[in-house]
Amino acid sequence: MNNKNFSCKALLGAALVLAAPFASHAQDAAYPSRPITMMVPYSAGGPTDVMARQLAAGLSKELGQSVLVENRTGAGGLVALAALARSAADGYTLGVFATPTTAIAPLTQPSFGYDVVTSFTPVTDIVNYSLVLLAGEHVPVQTLPELVQYAKQNPTAVSYGSSGIGGTNHLAGELLSHATGAPMLHVPYKGNAPAATDVMGGRISFVFDMPSSAVSYTQSGRLRPLGITASKRNPIFPDLPTMAESGFPDVVVEGWYGMIAPGNLPPDILAKLESAIKTVKASASFSEQMQSAGFEITPTSSAAFRERIGQERDFWKNLITTANIPLK
């Protein structure tokens, strides 16, 4: 072999090896260089989907790439969560999930096989949500303490509906019953709307619902709001007392919607997503949209979000165990 050619090839090889880390860094620094898919584990048109699409629009502007929402339903959100777990940790497949899917569903379905705290990269929570207790006009009470007292005096009279076993509106009812010692029968439905319909029809006593949905029922007089599970009053229901204000400080249920990525997301991509979401959340348009829907924007970090998921998982696990809540 010609010594000159060998020297040139050796020098070229060495240059490529030395350049590789810089090329990789340049590629990471260019993130995102193509459209991003953001999975939502619920049907189009629901609260999670609406919030996610508003977030996607803001992120598209911030990141300079399209952020496409993909609705992937099934198994209470676990279908989407499993798909996210199998995705590449490159920042191009993300997910917007809520408390029931991450902190509760893995407890009720242990065969799922993933732990959200260790198997994924929590990016940041986006908004908090709380639940309004809506009673039917046929229930002879005007306040939450009266409902609790009525349930104690009539052990088989009070029942409540939810969108399904293991959801926050199910466990909120279980928490209320456990904290007060008042017997309340849970009746699961395939969605909150049919549960609310049965409350209005006098077939069950009450239902927990999101403030944005609850307001249409209360304004029309079809359902009576008795309390909200938040730690403070909601702008949509400024006159509605919290559970604590009604004498039940242990009945606080504040869920969240947040972004989660596959595990081991590179730190620089995580930082870029955190920064972009923070900017979107601080924008006037996004803030106004979220507040009008009854959400509270959460200024937090990836580390704080990871810790919050773990704390909520432990809280619900303890309630499920101590209250002997039947989940299957």
Side-chain angles (χ1 to χ4, degrees), residues 38-54:
M38 192 163 72
M39 288 191 292
V40 174
Y42 307 108
S43 301
T48 312
D49 178 72
V50 171
M51 185 279 299
R53 292 181 186 277
Q54 292 167 343

Side-chain angles (χ1 to χ4, degrees), residues 20 25 36 67 71-72 81 93 98 102 135 137 154 164 189 224 234 245 273:
H25 178 76
I36 296 169
V67 179
N71 298 95
R72 188 175 296 198
L81 200 59
T93 305
T102 57
E137 292 295 309
N154 302 272
Y189 289 78
R224 181 185 299 127
N234 190 287
E245 289 175 322
L273 286 171

Side-chain angles (χ1 to χ4, degrees), residues 87-290:
S87 300
D90 56 8
Y92 290 99
T93 305
L94 307 168
V96 171
F97 294 90
T99 301
T101 303
T102 57
I104 301 172
L107 297 175
T108 65
Q109 302 184 51
S111 60
F112 175 59
Y114 297 104
D115 183 309
V116 175
V117 175
T118 59
S119 302
F120 297 86
T121 303
V123 178
T124 180
D125 42 1
I126 302 163
V127 293
N128 278 351
Y129 69 85
S130 51
L131 301 169
V132 177
L133 192 159
L134 301 168
E137 292 295 309
H138 64 286
V139 184
V141 302
Q142 297 295 321
T143 66
L144 183 59
E146 288 179 2
L147 175 66
V148 170
Q149 187 63 25
Y150 177 70
K152 289 180 177 180
Q153 294 173 346
N154 302 272
T156 62
V158 175
S159 57
Y160 69 98
S162 78
S163 57
I165 293 174
T168 45
N169 51 6
H170 165 210
L171 294 184
E174 297 284 0
L175 180 60
L176 176 63
S177 177
H178 180 67
T180 61
M184 299 173 178
L185 176 67
H186 173 235
V187 183
Y189 289 78
K190 292 182 178 179
N192 235 42
T197 298
D198 271 7
V199 177
M200 290 183 283
R203 287 175 284 277
I204 56 176
S205 308
F206 70 89
V207 67
F208 282 99
D209 210 343
M210 304 279 282
S212 57
S213 303
V215 70
S216 62
Y217 296 123
T218 59
Q219 286 180 343
S220 64
R222 292 176 291 172
L223 293 176
R224 181 185 299 127
L226 299 185
I228 190 164
T229 65
S231 56
K232 60 183 179 181
R233 296 195 181 194
N234 190 287
I236 292 183
F237 289 93
D239 299 324
L240 184 64
T242 66
M243 298 288 178
E245 289 175 322
S246 294
F248 310 110
D250 294 330
V251 186
V252 177
V253 179
E254 291 181 312
W256 49 262
Y257 293 121
M259 179 175 287
I260 295 174
N264 300 314
L265 188 70
D268 53 343
I269 294 178
L270 173 60
K272 194 160 190 176
L273 286 171
E274 272 194 279
S275 176
I277 293 172
K278 182 178 180 179
T279 301
V280 173
K281 290 196 296 184
S283 68
S285 60
F286 188 79
S287 298
E288 290 169 3
Q289 289 169 334
M290 294 302 100

